[in-house]
Amino acid sequence: MFRVGDKIVHPMHGAGIVDEIVTRKVNGVLRDYYSLRLPVGGMLVMIPTENCGEIGVRAVLTAEEAQRMLGEITQLQVELEPNWNQRYRENMLRLKSGNLLEVAKVVKCLLLRDSRRGLSTGERKMLHSARQILISEIGMACDISYEEAERRINQAL
């Protein structure tokens, strides 16, 4: 269980800090929720405490793990699936995995695809979301600004 002030990651929204743990009644059932404040955009995400494992919520990487992960990005091999639908499904599974290296693979794959053939609107949105997830966790793990995290990721890519 996480506590107020913990830095955690939601697989589809990125890293944030637990603002508070609140009890809310939804559909007649009282449940506890983590109130997760995301630094990018100031979005607030309510996460049921009992479903964190199923959703894939986890603690933010340590600074050392984040640095190691940035070093691994350069060696990431990506395959360009020609079928748009298959590529989209595979990338969505990578995002939902919560594994930051898999998220980096999505970013690298879509950037490569964009440079060669362009992206559809759906893939462009996915690229934006994947970059936000990556930047938010690297920034929070290394305690650096959004801009510095983005610079380091761009350098690694």
Side-chain angles (χ1 to χ4, degrees):
M1 183 159 200
F2 300 107
R3 294 179 294 193
V4 172
D6 285 353
K7 296 176 180 180
I8 63 175
V9 179
H10 186 288
M12 297 304 290
H13 298 291
I17 299 173
V18 177
D19 259 358
E20 60 182 335
I21 300 171
V22 297
T23 303
R24 290 275 182 343
K25 191 173 192 175
V26 178
N27 294 332
V29 179
L30 279 175
R31 288 196 173 97
D32 289 334
Y33 292 86
Y34 294 119
S35 176
L36 181 66
R37 171 90 42 211
L38 304 177
V40 179
M43 190 164 95
L44 182 68
V45 178
M46 301 297 285
I47 306 167
T49 58
E50 62 194 39
N51 295 356
C52 281
E54 296 167 28
I55 295 170
V57 175
R58 60 176 173 74
V60 168
L61 298 176
T62 64
E64 295 78 27
E65 291 170 329
Q67 289 298 339
R68 190 173 338 107
M69 198 276 314
L70 282 170
E72 292 174 15
I73 288 177
T74 56
Q75 280 84 42
L76 276 180
Q77 298 297 313
V78 294
E79 298 172 20
L80 290 178
E81 169 65 43
N83 182 305
W84 179 92
N85 195 21
Q86 182 65 28
R87 187 173 60 247
Y88 188 86
R89 274 187 272 139
E90 287 174 5
N91 284 336
M92 188 56 77
L93 287 174
R94 286 187 180 111
L95 286 178
K96 288 181 179 178
S97 75
N99 180 325
L100 202 57
L101 210 48
E102 290 295 310
V103 175
K105 193 178 275 190
V106 171
V107 171
K108 197 167 186 176
C109 174
L110 292 176
L111 285 174
L112 183 60
R113 175 77 183 182
D114 191 28
S115 70
R116 292 184 180 172
R117 303 207 38 178
L119 295 176
S120 67
T121 303
E123 284 183 313
R124 193 165 304 287
K125 283 181 181 179
M126 181 180 281
L127 174 60
H128 178 74
S129 294
R131 286 182 62 83
Q132 295 305 312
I133 292 167
L134 199 57
I135 291 167
S136 71
E137 185 161 4
I138 295 297
M140 197 160 284
C142 297
D143 198 26
I144 56 177
S145 70
Y146 177 92
E147 292 78 15
E148 177 62 16
E150 186 173 33
R151 188 192 65 73
R152 289 185 190 183
I153 290 165
N154 289 340
Q155 192 174 27
L157 289 168

